[in-house]
Amino acid sequence: MKLLTLNCHSWQEDDQFAKIKILAETIQEKSYDVIALQEVSQSIKSEIIDGQVKKDNFARVLLEELKKLGNTDYQFVWDFSHIGYDIYEEGIALLTKHPIEKTTSFFISQSENTEYWKTRKIVGADIHIEDDTFSFYSCHLGWWGDEEEPFKQQIDALCDKANGKEKYFLMGDFNNDAHIKGEGYDYLLSKGLYDSYSLSKEKDSGITVAGKIAGWDKNKRDLRIDYIFSNFPVHVQYSSVIFNGENKPVISDHYGVEITI
């Protein structure tokens, strides 16, 4: 099983369509089973195509690019978290080429006001892969020291929902650096979660953010804040950072993480 997570910073990138093409070509090449994307935006004023999905929804545009490559295997689920940059509906998405048995979305922030940028929502799906069903959640969380929207409370809410599932994966941008002790990363592990990076037989640095980005305006360090967690021990063959300029071109302000189980 191959998994990918990426905060795609959609519609904020220079040469955005060229970067979508790189992402589509990589999906075509790697044939991921499940992909979790964060900051998956669409214009507020864009035309509605299906349900709440609009014409310029980043995930929809990505699937259209895949179709140009002859790949019609993938479907996606998406939901809207909050307004971004005053003109976008920013959300999260899951893509898969396997049968989806059930989908869900739910708030994990105290706020459910979609006009507030700290409002956080999770998208989940039960996906049937190789005679088994796994639950996947695309996650974009807040910061440890945030007094308005505490990370700890968001993780508690997320795990309360996910713990009803036998086997699940939490994939995404957790906005908490693994190198800082006694904060968000350690709290995640205290919930009984397994970090696929730590379980992996082969791995690289794991760094997914280099320097200053939105939400980390004063950062000068390399950060590991994008993860794939599971609630059960998995045999991870390798964990690799991707779209970092060494393993594929940079396409976002975050690098992605891919694993093979």
Side-chain angles (χ1 to χ4, degrees):
M1 183 160 57
K2 292 182 179 180
L3 307 179
L4 169 70
T5 185
L6 174 68
N7 180 325
C8 48
H9 199 224
S10 66
W11 306 127
Q12 302 303 306
E13 288 291 313
D14 295 333
D15 300 321
Q16 182 68 87
F17 287 102
K19 291 177 179 179
I20 290 172
K21 186 175 182 181
I22 291 168
L23 178 54
E25 289 171 346
T26 303
I27 293 169
Q28 172 82 332
E29 174 194 340
K30 303 272 190 172
S31 192
Y32 298 108
D33 294 281
V34 180
I35 302 162
L37 301 178
Q38 303 84 47
E39 293 192 24
V40 181
S41 299
Q42 61 186 20
S43 301
I44 294 171
K45 295 181 179 180
S46 186
E47 173 191 354
I48 294 174
I49 298 295
D50 182 20
Q52 61 178 349
V53 174
K54 297 181 178 178
K55 188 173 183 178
D56 68 346
N57 183 288
F58 182 90
R60 181 181 178 275
V61 174
L62 175 61
L63 260 62
E64 289 296 317
E65 196 62 39
L66 276 165
K67 286 178 184 176
K68 293 177 186 177
L69 299 172
N71 189 330
T72 58
D73 296 341
Y74 288 87
Q75 56 185 316
F76 77 96
V77 293
W78 177 88
D79 203 358
F80 161 45
S81 295
H82 57 252
I83 300 294
Y85 303 96
D86 299 324
I87 60 170
Y88 295 108
E89 294 171 343
E90 182 186 307
I92 54 277
L94 284 166
L95 284 66
T96 184
K97 59 180 182 175
H98 298 285
I100 295 176
E101 297 180 352
K102 185 180 179 182
T103 65
T104 186
S105 63
F106 51 90
F107 291 102
I108 56 165
S109 53
Q110 296 176 103
S111 169
E112 296 186 5
N113 177 8
T114 55
E115 294 188 2
Y116 182 42
W117 70 278
K118 290 185 181 180
T119 297
R120 302 289 172 173
K121 208 172 202 179
I122 301 294
V123 162
D126 297 344
I127 299 174
H128 191 75
I129 305 173
E130 297 177 1
D131 299 321
D132 205 347
T133 298
F134 303 90
S135 300
F136 294 87
Y137 298 90
S138 185
C139 309
H140 189 190
L141 288 92
W143 297 264
W144 179 257
D146 194 315
E147 295 180 0
E148 295 173 314
E149 288 291 347
F151 177 84
K152 197 172 179 179
Q153 182 172 312
Q154 292 180 8
I155 286 298
D156 289 346
L158 172 56
C159 289
D160 284 349
K161 282 280 189 181
N163 282 339
K165 304 294 184 178
E166 183 181 354
K167 297 177 181 177
Y168 66 79
F169 292 89
L170 308 180
M171 305 167 63
D173 173 6
F174 288 78
N175 270 316
N176 276 261
D177 184 16
H179 303 115
I180 301 176
K181 299 301 179 186
E183 293 192 1
Y185 179 76
D186 286 347
Y187 190 68
L188 282 155
L189 297 183
S190 78
K191 305 295 281 188
L193 296 170
Y194 296 87
D195 181 359
S196 61
Y197 178 81
S198 299
L199 295 176
S200 184
K201 292 178 182 177
E202 297 180 38
K203 67 191 78 171
D204 52 18
S205 69
I207 296 302
T208 60
V209 167
K212 183 173 71 172
I213 62 167
W216 292 84
D217 300 327
K218 297 179 181 178
N219 180 58
K220 295 180 180 178
R221 298 182 296 109
D222 290 340
L223 307 175
R224 187 164 80 88
I225 63 175
D226 299 82
Y227 307 102
I228 299 175
F229 291 103
S230 62
N231 71 325
F232 64 105
V234 290
H235 299 286
V236 185
Q237 294 175 350
Y238 80 87
S239 174
S240 179
V241 174
I242 189 168
F243 307 119
N244 62 350
E246 297 176 14
N247 180 15
K248 304 293 183 182
V250 174
I251 60 172
S252 173
D253 60 352
H254 285 242
Y255 309 146
V257 174
E258 59 176 359
I259 67 171
T260 297
I261 298 171

